[in-house]
Amino acid sequence: MDQITHEMRLKNWEHVVEECNRRPEGVTVKQWLSENGINVKVYYYWLRRVRQAAYDQMKLEQSGELAVTSDRRVSYAEITLTGNTSSGPAMHPVAVISSGNLSIDISENASEEFLIKLMRAIKYAG
């Protein structure tokens, strides 16, 4: 199975696992699977794959590594500006981050907290 097919099937089974976890109280996993026409062995095979993928993602996030994938979904991160945000004298950036049409100028007054939030936003947007 090629990587794209595997990723698509994994996304589908993530949805199936989520739905199974939301089954009505008192309904067993086997009952829910039977009612939804899902083979028990196939379900547990993919449940193991879904859990492994979630674990791998968690380890990547903890290590700070970025996973390079073909998944290019748009994501947003809120960044709260602190201090004086009114227009004043021209800022002379000490660093510039550019990618495509995006350019971020960073002043020497940027707080460590702001830079951490900015790097997280870039990490998860990418």
Side-chain angles (χ1 to χ4, degrees):
M1 162 177 9
D2 68 12
Q3 186 65 27
I4 294 172
T5 302
H6 177 75
E7 287 177 17
M8 294 299 295
R9 288 182 181 172
L10 184 63
K11 290 290 182 196
N12 176 59
W13 279 98
E14 285 174 358
H15 176 73
V16 172
V17 169
E18 288 172 7
E19 290 298 313
C20 183
N21 288 336
R22 286 186 281 223
R23 67 188 180 279
E25 194 171 321
V27 175
T28 67
V29 171
K30 286 186 178 184
Q31 288 172 330
W32 188 88
L33 294 173
S34 177
E35 291 170 4
N36 288 278
I38 300 170
N39 181 291
V40 173
K41 289 181 181 182
V42 173
Y43 172 79
Y44 282 107
Y45 168 84
W46 281 101
L47 176 61
R48 193 168 49 254
R49 297 283 183 176
V50 167
R51 285 180 177 165
Q52 183 66 50
Y55 176 78
D56 292 344
Q57 183 65 32
M58 180 187 70
K59 294 305 270 184
L60 278 175
E61 289 172 5
Q62 287 178 348
S63 69
E65 295 178 27
L66 287 176
V68 178
T69 66
S70 61
D71 186 10
R72 290 292 184 201
R73 292 177 290 185
V74 175
S75 58
Y76 300 91
E78 180 179 347
I79 299 176
T80 306
L81 298 177
T82 57
N84 185 2
T85 59
S86 63
S87 61
M91 179 189 79
H92 298 290
V94 294
V96 178
I97 300 172
S98 298
S99 177
N101 295 332
L102 173 69
S103 179
I104 301 171
D105 297 347
I106 302 172
S107 80
E108 62 186 14
N109 300 344
S111 70
E112 183 178 352
E113 179 185 2
F114 171 77
L115 293 174
I116 289 170
K117 287 181 180 180
L118 177 62
M119 294 309 293
R120 283 187 187 141
I122 292 170
K123 175 182 174 183
Y124 291 109

